[in-house]
Amino acid sequence: MKLFTNLFNEIDSSTKTNIKVEALVHYFQLVSEEDILYAIALLIGNRPRRPVKTSQLKLWAAEMSHIPSWLFDDCYYIAGDLAETITLLLKEHPSSHNESLHDVIKALQQTALLSDEEKKNVITNYWQRFTGNELFVFNKLITGNFRMGVSKQLVVKALAKFLQSDETKIAHQLMGKWNPAEETLATLFSDDITADKHYQPYPFYLAYPLEDDIHTLGDINDWILEAKLDGIRGQIIYRANELYVWSRGEDLLTDKFPEFEKLKNSLPAGTVIDGEIIPFKDNRFLSFNELQTRIGRKNITTKILTEVPVVMVCFDLLEWNGEDIRHQPLSYRRELLENVVKNFNENKILILSQSLHFDKWNEAANYRINARQYGTEGLMLKQKNSPYETGRKRGNWWKWKTGPMTIDGVLLYAQSGHGRRANLFTDYTFAVWDEQKKLLPFTKAYSGLTDKEIIEMDNWIKRNTIEKFGPVRSVKPYHVFEIAFEGIAESTRHKSGVALRFPRILRWRKDKHAEEANTVEELRSLLKNNNHE
Amino acid sequence: MITFTDKGIYCKQGNFYIDPWKPVEKALITHAHSDHARYGSKQYLCHKFTVPVLRLRLGEIDVQAIEYGEKLYINNVQVSFHPAGHIIGSAQIRLEYKGEVWVISGDYKLSNDLLSTPYECIKCHHFITESTFGLPIYQFQNPQFIYNDINHWWRTNASEGYNTIVLGYALGKSQTILHSLDKSVGNIYLHGAVANINDSLGRVGFHFPGKRVSEENNKLKIERAFISAPPSALNTTWLKKFQPYRIAMCSGWMALRGARRRYGVDKGFVLSDHCDWQQLNDAVAGTGAEDIYVTHGYETPFVKWLKEKFGLRAHEVKTFYSNEESGEDL
Ligand SMILES: [Zn+2]
Ligand SMILES: [Zn+2]
């Protein structure tokens, strides 16, 4: 744990990638094989199950620091992070142990079978032995939100260096949810990956948003343009008589989407399709909201399956007849894909992502501006001869999203932030005017202001509070903000009748008075105009 | 004897205010931080060490100086100033009238920073306390450990060829740090805001190491040095001339990872001029007061705690004091 904590400190105190990579390589060289495997799993987000409930941790930590639970909650609210709160509350003890990372994780995993009282003993025992940053790292492990300032790409880089291997290969070998307890370096980084691990997806190729002028991309005929749809990016894998559905977040979603199971009857062995999983019924796409509700359900009932059925809109083919074809040009892969969708498509559950034809970039630009009318988020631009790359890369693929919708809202409630913004009022609730000239809250938004603006706003809020409800304050209706959002859907859970997708503050409209903010009618008209039939 | 008005803490019997935030006839000032010492009052009364800084900030004012422990009568109210341990010249103000004793503590800390006159516990019936760090997540180490850490960091940076910039509030923290620096490591430079305060304090006998960085010595070659600057210097071009450098922030808020990240500095030293949770509890208990008035900070939880845990009559008081440790210069 000490070496792992040192690694954490080094990574935490640096913003330079080469220092982080060096620190990782150095760590891999120092520790045992088991520790390396557990560390990789942690670093790339392949976290162990939480050994105890958060509510229990809170209870024990409050008890150990001799404070009531309401005070614990207040502290948690300010620190914004459970692991940090517990670390700050527990008095410092001299550190006395020499357990390694995998010792600790294994011990934690074994608590699953223990009684609550025994679990408490294990945890509080550790609390007495760890101190400072080590205590913090330990608490991060037990609260299950361990995150170290390294991206997966960085870990891949360090491993490639350490194992003297190739980054693309390592990225592929790390895909999916593997269990460090069941792997060795040899099995995890085995060369023959498709044979040994037929369930493993390929690393997704992700596009950057287009920043430059569209004309810098050259001849439009060198590009394949597709509608950008709002669903769940995923891979369908059919190998060795098994079908798997993976999400971009590397969650195995096979059980969530039983409708794809039928593809077993039609797809040839060794097929991997990349696409977007979208709710689709009576020949039209449903809103993302409905897909979200479906994902949230524990059990997939027949009712859900008939109410919100899904399809995959396919845009790439990564493996065909058991052969990795990612290095082939996109035009070639698409040709094969068209064949798959046409001839191996049980129940028509696969839909081909149409390539859109425009003669000029200006026509494409027009489509993008009006994308919402077509029920899309804009365009995906892909070079015809591009290979299927690994991770987020510039150059061959771009996403070209349509602009967000906007509405002017009045600041009505403020709440102090967490973590980076503890002690500052940063979480705002905005309202629009209703028919009775009353303010109707319609959304919360956090990000979007500069640190300077946040401090200015914070000062104003403290001086213009009307009422306090716990951590929330209602303020004088005065300031107007332009709120941007990506989608709008009907909602019975919200007073305003709408739910926004990705709302954020676009700018502070100091030029506007509260009376000049938008109305609920204007908000609802956005709902009508921006949801295609 | 005391009421909380929209101008500030008011003593009706004595007809004066303590740390008012609006102009009044007579203002008693606990210390010279600008949220406690505001412009526009006719007459000021403060500790003698506070006078020059008060003048520096408020200009030519009518100000009367007082010593710690000296007794004064204003309309039959006995007034005395006692060390608050917050910064040089900071005072708790004790008021007594017909056997009733109030202590208005302003900002204070119990730990010894080796520079300001250490906090003195004053028995009273009514105690007004701040609550800047009034949550149990705030547990500060003794300042002397932090000075060691700062010296050690400076030494490391210097040996690696870096300048060391340490940000701390210009009045208070900068002086305590300068006072405890290991001058053998290298040269010490001051931001103008810090140098101005140091010059003022020089007039009441406090002297600090360090040279002002000004237009004249702009071309100076500054290497492996220590630079003391206020938090407002962060992200300004003023820092450029010290490249290569490492930069740290000194504040109680540095106890939180989030705050450290917010400033984007290389290091955060948890060094505060305020009480941590334990000190606040000790202070309240030490006064023996039964009525506690909690101002700026975590008023709500601290009041609830004092009521529940100790059965005290604790009250939340809304004031316009902010706190200098939040990093903005006031
Ligand atoms: Zn102060
Ligand atoms: Zn204060």
Side-chain angles (χ1 to χ4, degrees):
Chain A
M1 267 300 265
K2 287 204 171 65
L3 292 170
F4 190 68
T5 305
N6 285 347
L7 174 68
F8 174 83
N9 289 344
E10 279 181 71
I11 287 176
D12 195 44
S13 61
S14 178
T15 50
K16 299 196 177 69
T17 50
N18 58 331
I19 291 183
K20 291 181 182 183
V21 171
E22 279 314 313
L24 284 166
V25 173
H26 185 64
Y27 174 77
F28 295 146
Q29 286 163 345
L30 282 179
V31 299
S32 69
E33 182 168 349
E34 272 176 304
D35 270 6
I36 295 176
L37 290 162
Y38 277 100
I40 298 171
L42 276 174
L43 291 169
I44 65 171
N46 197 351
R47 299 176 199 110
R49 200 176 277 275
R50 245 189 298 149
V52 283
K53 285 194 216 116
T54 306
S55 55
Q56 290 177 313
L57 288 177
K58 288 181 178 176
L59 204 73
W60 303 336
E63 197 182 303
M64 222 169 131
S65 46
H66 310 290
I67 58 168
S69 60
W70 65 261
L71 188 52
F72 182 93
D73 289 340
D74 277 14
C75 290
Y76 178 25
Y77 182 78
I78 291 302
D81 178 277
L82 185 59
E84 186 179 2
T85 309
I86 296 174
T87 310
L88 290 169
L89 284 173
L90 297 175
K91 281 268 189 325
E92 302 243 328
H93 299 274
S95 182
S96 61
H97 79 99
N98 47 25
E99 280 173 81
S100 68
L101 176 66
H102 76 266
D103 290 333
V104 174
I105 295 181
K106 276 186 180 161
L108 288 175
Q109 280 167 346
Q110 277 156 14
T111 60
L113 304 166
L114 302 179
S115 71
D116 283 356
E117 203 47 40
E118 288 166 321
K119 277 184 191 170
K120 182 180 172 185
N121 274 333
V122 173
I123 301 290
T124 52
N125 219 304
Y126 274 120
W127 278 345
Q128 279 163 11
R129 282 182 289 157
F130 289 136
T131 180
N133 267 327
E134 206 170 5
L135 178 61
F136 178 65
V137 169
F138 173 77
N139 285 332
K140 278 287 182 192
L141 292 180
I142 57 176
T143 51
N145 60 347
F146 186 86
R147 219 171 279 131
M148 211 187 253
V150 286
S151 63
K152 193 168 178 179
Q153 251 164 337
L154 251 161
V155 178
V156 168
K157 209 172 205 161
L159 279 169
K161 209 164 170 187
F162 171 65
L163 298 166
Q164 291 168 331
S165 174
D166 176 60
E167 284 181 37
T168 327
K169 207 158 134 194
I170 300 263
H172 189 189
Q173 287 158 335
L174 290 181
M175 289 297 283
K177 292 270 184 289
W178 45 274
N179 183 349
E182 291 164 4
E183 301 278 351
T184 62
L185 286 177
T187 58
L188 185 61
F189 300 104
S190 127
D191 275 338
D192 196 0
I193 190 155
T194 39
D196 291 353
K197 302 195 174 156
H198 58 270
Y199 52 83
Q200 207 148 11
Y202 289 102
F204 284 83
Y205 179 15
L206 308 170
Y208 270 100
L210 181 72
E211 293 137 354
D212 292 334
D213 184 82
I214 188 71
H215 297 283
T216 58
L217 297 185
D219 189 348
I220 194 168
N221 293 313
D222 295 340
W223 294 81
I224 290 173
L225 280 69
E226 299 169 282
K228 188 181 181 326
L229 298 171
D230 191 11
I232 294 175
R233 175 88 182 267
Q235 273 176 42
I236 292 178
I237 296 173
Y238 183 58
R239 291 177 189 137
N241 291 321
E242 296 279 356
L243 189 118
Y244 303 94
V245 182
W246 287 92
S247 75
R248 202 192 90 183
E250 289 172 49
D251 288 315
L252 191 54
L253 298 180
T254 319
D255 298 338
K256 296 266 179 192
F257 300 112
E259 40 261 89
F260 293 118
E261 196 64 21
K262 298 185 196 97
L263 287 169
K264 274 178 157 180
N265 304 329
S266 60
L267 286 179
T271 305
V272 179
I273 303 169
D274 183 10
E276 196 87 9
I277 299 165
I278 313 245
F280 184 80
K281 194 183 180 184
D282 304 331
N283 260 326
R284 68 183 196 98
F285 294 124
L286 308 177
S287 84
F288 186 79
N289 251 18
E290 299 188 59
L291 183 56
Q292 233 168 3
T293 339
R294 170 170 163 176
I295 295 276
R297 296 283 166 90
K298 268 219 177 81
N299 301 311
I300 302 296
T301 58
T302 348
K303 187 164 171 269
I304 278 283
L305 285 174
T306 41
E307 269 174 14
V308 191
V310 296
V311 292
M312 177 179 262
V313 178
C314 310
F315 44 69
D316 218 320
L317 189 66
L318 313 185
E319 188 176 312
W320 183 238
N321 292 325
E323 195 194 331
D324 177 359
I325 56 165
R326 292 176 296 159
H327 57 282
Q328 298 283 358
L330 174 61
S331 50
Y332 172 80
R333 300 199 307 271
R334 267 196 74 100
E335 220 170 280
L336 290 178
L337 180 69
E338 277 170 37
N339 174 39
V340 172
V341 174
K342 211 176 195 175
N343 300 316
F344 301 92
N345 191 354
E346 181 88 9
N347 269 23
K348 299 264 169 278
I349 199 157
L350 303 175
I351 293 181
L352 184 73
S353 165
Q354 294 297 331
S355 80
L356 305 168
H357 291 285
F358 302 105
D359 289 333
K360 291 195 188 85
W361 283 120
N362 288 345
E363 291 172 21
N366 258 333
Y367 171 93
R368 169 186 169 249
I369 288 168
N370 301 312
R372 284 219 175 73
Q373 293 173 11
Y374 308 112
T376 75
E377 292 191 303
L379 289 168
M380 291 300 302
L381 318 171
K382 299 172 181 172
Q383 189 106 44
K384 274 186 181 155
N385 57 16
S386 59
Y388 190 90
E389 298 186 62
T390 300
R392 203 175 284 283
K393 297 270 157 60
R394 286 172 210 277
N396 282 325
W397 284 20
W398 298 103
K399 56 179 171 192
W400 201 28
K401 285 173 78 166
T402 189
M405 291 175 253
T406 63
I407 197 139
D408 291 337
V410 182
L411 175 67
L412 201 59
Y413 301 108
Q415 189 169 350
S416 54
H418 284 315
R420 205 173 87 88
R421 280 154 175 189
N423 307 309
L424 287 173
F425 285 97
T426 54
D427 300 1
Y428 309 139
T429 301
F430 298 97
V432 284
W433 297 103
D434 71 5
E435 289 82 0
Q436 281 89 48
K437 281 272 153 215
K438 276 200 196 131
L439 282 167
L440 183 67
F442 70 100
T443 191
K444 271 189 162 206
Y446 312 87
S447 56
L449 295 184
T450 64
D451 280 2
K452 213 177 145 198
E453 285 174 324
I454 286 172
I455 287 162
E456 188 184 343
M457 207 55 238
D458 177 72
N459 273 320
W460 184 87
I461 289 163
K462 283 172 184 157
R463 281 162 177 69
N464 292 278
T465 298
I466 296 173
E467 259 182 295
K468 290 185 190 175
F469 322 90
V472 180
R473 294 180 176 204
S474 69
V475 298
K476 199 164 84 181
Y478 181 81
H479 286 293
V480 179
F481 290 84
E482 187 173 347
I483 311 297
F485 48 97
E486 297 301 320
I488 183 166
E490 228 164 330
S491 161
T492 45
R493 290 212 327 252
H494 295 79
K495 248 197 213 164
S496 60
V498 299
L500 307 186
R501 193 151 149 73
F502 300 131
R504 67 218 181 249
I505 299 168
L506 199 60
R507 77 195 116 185
W508 186 347
R509 296 296 304 259
K510 289 188 178 174
D511 55 316
K512 284 201 169 180
H513 294 293
E515 302 78 51
E516 296 171 80
N518 284 115
T519 63
V520 71
E521 215 185 314
E522 287 164 311
L523 186 64
R524 287 189 189 131
S525 75
L526 284 177
L527 181 69
K528 249 180 269 154
N529 300 339
N530 290 291
N531 288 287
H532 63 108
E533 286 311 310
Chain B
M1 178 162 41
I2 291 286
T3 46
F4 299 95
T5 74
D6 60 350
K7 287 182 180 159
I9 301 171
Y10 179 56
C11 174
K12 195 166 173 234
Q13 176 59 33
N15 192 25
F16 55 78
Y17 287 81
I18 291 128
D19 295 352
W21 47 83
K22 283 184 180 163
V24 298
E25 280 294 313
K26 192 167 183 67
L28 277 55
I29 301 296
T30 60
H31 67 293
H33 277 147
S34 45
D35 55 325
H36 290 261
R38 296 197 192 234
Y39 180 78
S41 290
K42 277 234 175 74
Q43 260 192 329
Y44 292 88
L45 173 66
C46 64
H47 185 264
K48 63 174 182 184
F49 293 158
T50 300
V51 173
V53 182
L54 206 62
R55 283 236 159 89
L56 173 73
R57 295 200 147 160
L58 305 183
E60 268 321 300
I61 47 167
D62 175 2
V63 54
Q64 185 191 347
I66 188 169
E67 301 259 3
Y68 288 133
E70 186 186 338
K71 287 185 183 114
L72 208 82
Y73 289 86
I74 305 176
N75 298 332
N76 296 323
V77 178
Q78 191 196 87
V79 178
S80 53
F81 283 50
H82 304 268
H86 175 55
I87 60 171
I88 290 173
S90 68
Q92 312 175 66
I93 298 178
R94 181 186 183 277
L95 306 177
E96 183 175 345
Y97 181 69
K98 290 189 177 164
E100 185 180 312
V101 179
W102 285 69
V103 169
I104 297 103
S105 57
D107 290 343
Y108 66 103
K109 71 169 175 294
L110 273 55
S111 60
N112 187 348
D113 62 25
L114 306 183
L115 181 63
S116 45
T117 318
Y119 174 88
E120 207 175 273
C121 173
I122 311 291
K123 295 278 172 205
C124 58
H125 304 108
H126 301 266
F127 184 58
I128 302 181
T129 177
E130 53 136 324
S131 58
T132 309
F133 294 107
L135 282 179
I137 44 174
Y138 299 107
Q139 304 184 32
F140 300 150
Q141 274 195 303
N142 191 309
Q144 292 165 50
F145 290 116
I146 310 295
Y147 302 147
N148 281 341
D149 289 349
I150 293 174
N151 278 319
H152 177 76
W153 192 58
W154 181 18
R155 231 170 278 133
T156 311
N157 292 344
S159 72
E160 291 169 9
Y162 287 91
N163 281 314
T164 296
I165 303 176
V166 172
L167 305 173
Y169 197 66
L171 169 58
K173 216 157 302 166
S174 297
Q175 288 76 35
T176 54
I177 295 166
L178 289 169
H179 181 68
S180 292
L181 277 183
D182 176 358
K183 296 187 234 0
S184 69
V185 183
N187 292 327
I188 300 169
Y189 293 93
L190 310 174
H191 184 278
V194 177
N196 288 343
I197 301 279
N198 289 2
D199 290 349
S200 294
L201 289 169
R203 257 166 260 150
V204 281
F206 291 91
H207 299 284
F208 302 96
K211 199 183 273 169
R212 179 193 293 262
V213 179
S214 61
E215 291 304 320
E216 292 85 69
N217 58 19
N218 221 345
K219 296 280 164 311
L220 222 68
K221 190 108 186 78
I222 295 175
E223 276 176 338
R224 298 161 207 270
F226 184 97
I227 296 105
S228 171
S232 59
L234 190 65
N235 302 326
T236 63
T237 51
W238 184 80
L239 297 177
K240 270 202 183 135
K241 54 174 134 316
F242 306 112
Q243 269 161 349
Y245 63 77
R246 294 205 178 110
I247 188 162
M249 174 83 176
C250 290
S251 160
W253 300 119
M254 292 297 114
L256 299 182
R257 286 172 57 77
R260 288 202 294 276
R261 267 177 290 148
R262 180 159 86 215
Y263 288 105
V265 287
D266 298 314
K267 212 169 170 61
F269 291 107
V270 187
L271 183 69
S272 180
D273 290 336
H274 294 265
C275 289
D276 66 2
W277 171 255
Q278 193 55 50
Q279 294 177 44
L280 284 173
N281 277 277
D282 292 347
V284 167
T287 62
E290 303 239 304
D291 284 280
I292 312 293
Y293 305 83
V294 182
T295 68
H296 56 315
Y298 299 107
E299 302 95 308
T300 314
F302 193 48
V303 161
K304 189 170 172 188
W305 166 260
L306 292 176
K307 283 181 177 164
E308 264 185 25
K309 178 84 179 177
F310 305 109
L312 294 167
R313 284 190 298 270
H315 319 268
E316 242 181 272
V317 178
K318 200 179 165 206
T319 61
F320 277 87
Y321 308 131
S322 52
N323 88 66
E324 68 282 354
E325 297 217 20
S326 61
E328 307 101 66
D329 285 333
L330 298 160

